[in-house]
Amino acid sequence: MSATPEWDHEYDLVIVGSGGGGMAAALAAHDAGLSPLIIEKGKRFGGSTAVSGGGIWIPNNPTLKARGHDDSRESVRRYLDLLTEGRVPAARLDAFVDNGPAAMELIGQSRWMKFFWTKGYADYHPEYEGGRPLGRSIEAKPFDTRKLGEDEKYQRPNSMKGPLGLWITAKDYHDLAMAKRTWAGRRASMVAVWRVSSNMIRRRHMATGGRALAARLRMALKDAGLPLWLKTTMTELVTDEDGRVTGVVATRDGATVRIRGRKGVLLATGGFDHNQEMRDKYLPKGGQQDFAMGARELTGDGIRAGESVGAALDLMDDAWWMPAVRHPAGATIPLLSERCIPRSVIVSQDGRRFTNESAPYVNFVHDQLEGGHVPCWFVMDAKARSRYPFAQILPGAPIPKAFYDAGIAFKADTLEELAGEIDVPADALAATVRTFNGHARDGKDPDFGRGDSAYDRYYGDPNLKNPNLDVIDTAPYYAFRMEVGDLGTKGGLVSDEHARVLRGDGTVIEGLYVTGNSSASVMGNEYAGPGATIGPAIVFGYIAARHAAAADGDPDWDADGDPDWDADGDSDGKAAERS
């Protein structure tokens, strides 16, 4: 912590981190008349947003409304109330719901920001009051990254790209997973072949998912002339004699620089995904090993900096958990759709099921951790292996020998032999499969409700009575060792409805804002739907920028930094008019 008045650079708002929340905040700050600067620790922009699936969960955003998907505010709040169970202050939930549409309207002013609705990708708890079986998630449209020009080489890669330049959206993946089972899947396969051929002829560099979102946001920043400094690491926050945050100290090109934030500093640095010391200190047993899938630079910098100036922390024992398989080469492979495929079960070391395999990934891992089932075992038969992809292995393709050599995959001619291979009681595994097969024939899982939710069924096999259930009866049988992975940590700095960081006594640390995984999640211990990480990051980045601008009496905001609403409950639209 420093109180030096000497500055090497001055901007209105210093934004630390170039993920979706940081870039959206810069656009909002610019729209409000501020001069923002984004500094990024890594040599590539986009943060974990760029390596993610890129979904955005913001109810009533313009893309949804254009498709006639218009929720009542009451239904959205009811869903979030049931989801968060009182764990999140009502004012923060209100701020997210009420500012979300305006945030997306603002970034949508850029000619580059184009989205589509991932129709059918359900909210994660559509059975709750206010939940939506057709989902509220949107995704950036595919983008040819050649348009980035010189900045193309500074993109982060992600997993939404296949061999020979094949690019797929979340909807494409849903269909391709059933390429051997449905006509939609076969059509998607034909489209995939066409895309490969088209890319080779047209020499396009197509990005989808989070990479497309990050690229589009970067183009919007370029159009606005907003600076983004790569390889610039914040080392401390600067405060004045009253404790107000006035800027940052950072290292850039080997030199120390002091950057003033006249209106404040926004921390958008992500979580502590790859900080082993913090994982050991805060995360529960079973989730401490670093199988995180976020950007490698995420080591809790913003959280530690905020704590150093007195910020309170919350939700530090939780994460955006994701069941995973560890690739022999070291990468972590998420198991998203795989847990929904029929002819499979997941068992603990005692050979028994312990939860709904097809449940939302955070809920699955919560049950896994609570029961101490780390590792656990994904068991399937030969028909499942021939019909559905698993851990990035195509249907019917041989499992690479390296998986067997590393003790990740096992294969046997009988369930009893498989049980011996993975050291679980053979009688327990046989009984589990026998009971499960009976449920599969009935099309109902009375033990754990697998297939009851629209979310479960989204990645299931639509040819079956219950898309998630079918008998396990065809040799050979396979087992994969499953670990606890995560998409990022969930805990961080406590903040209010204006994205201002708070101390333990509830007072505000003036001049310090936070968004994204640097903050204690507005979703509490839950997950509303696809994109419920990126969505709030964008919204609270927007809120932070607007609140910082309100210090000068921005006409669109009242004295408390809240948006003025018209009689219909909408923002007054002046942000759109200013474009």
Side-chain angles (χ1 to χ4, degrees), residues 77 86-95 314 494-497 521-522:
R77 281 295 278 110
R87 192 72 177 80
V88 178
R92 289 199 74 214
L93 293 174
D94 288 338
D314 196 16
V494 175
S495 56
D496 67 6
E497 64 272 25
S521 173
V522 74

Side-chain angles (χ1 to χ4, degrees), residues 363-382:
N363 301 101
F364 178 93
V365 176
H366 279 159
D367 290 344
Q368 185 182 6
L369 290 171
E370 185 177 347
H373 307 309
V374 183
C376 58
W377 298 96
F378 192 109
V379 176
M380 72 180 91
D381 74 359

Side-chain angles (χ1 to χ4, degrees), residues 256-310:
T256 297
V257 293
R258 292 176 173 82
I259 311 168
R260 182 185 181 192
R262 287 182 288 260
K263 302 297 182 183
V265 172
L266 170 63
L267 298 174
T269 58
F272 56 95
D273 309 19
H274 302 294
N275 184 319
Q276 193 59 56
E277 182 180 350
M278 293 181 75
R279 294 184 73 93
D280 291 342
K281 178 178 180 179
Y282 293 112
L283 295 180
K285 183 179 179 182
Q288 294 172 345
Q289 193 166 356
D290 183 359
F291 290 142
M293 291 164 250
R296 295 306 308 178
E297 291 81 6
L298 303 188
T299 55
D301 296 3
I303 297 171
R304 289 182 285 117
E307 193 177 18
S308 74
V309 296

Side-chain angles (χ1 to χ4, degrees), residues 29 88 383 453 458 483 535 577:
V88 178
K383 284 189 177 179
S453 171
Y458 181 70
E483 312 288 353
E577 291 170 10

Side-chain angles (χ1 to χ4, degrees), residues 315-381:
L315 295 171
M316 294 293 284
D317 60 346
D318 207 355
W320 304 98
W321 302 114
M322 171 65 78
V325 164
R326 189 71 165 171
H327 191 281
T332 303
I333 305 172
L335 297 184
L336 178 61
S337 65
E338 291 91 339
R339 294 176 299 104
C340 301
I341 62 175
R343 307 184 79 94
S344 68
V345 290
I346 297 174
V347 299
S348 62
Q349 202 63 55
D350 65 5
R352 296 179 172 85
R353 297 173 69 204
F354 56 88
T355 191
N356 171 13
E357 293 90 342
S358 303
Y361 33 96
V362 163
N363 301 101
F364 178 93
V365 176
H366 279 159
D367 290 344
Q368 185 182 6
L369 290 171
E370 185 177 347
H373 307 309
V374 183
C376 58
W377 298 96
F378 192 109
V379 176
M380 72 180 91
D381 74 359

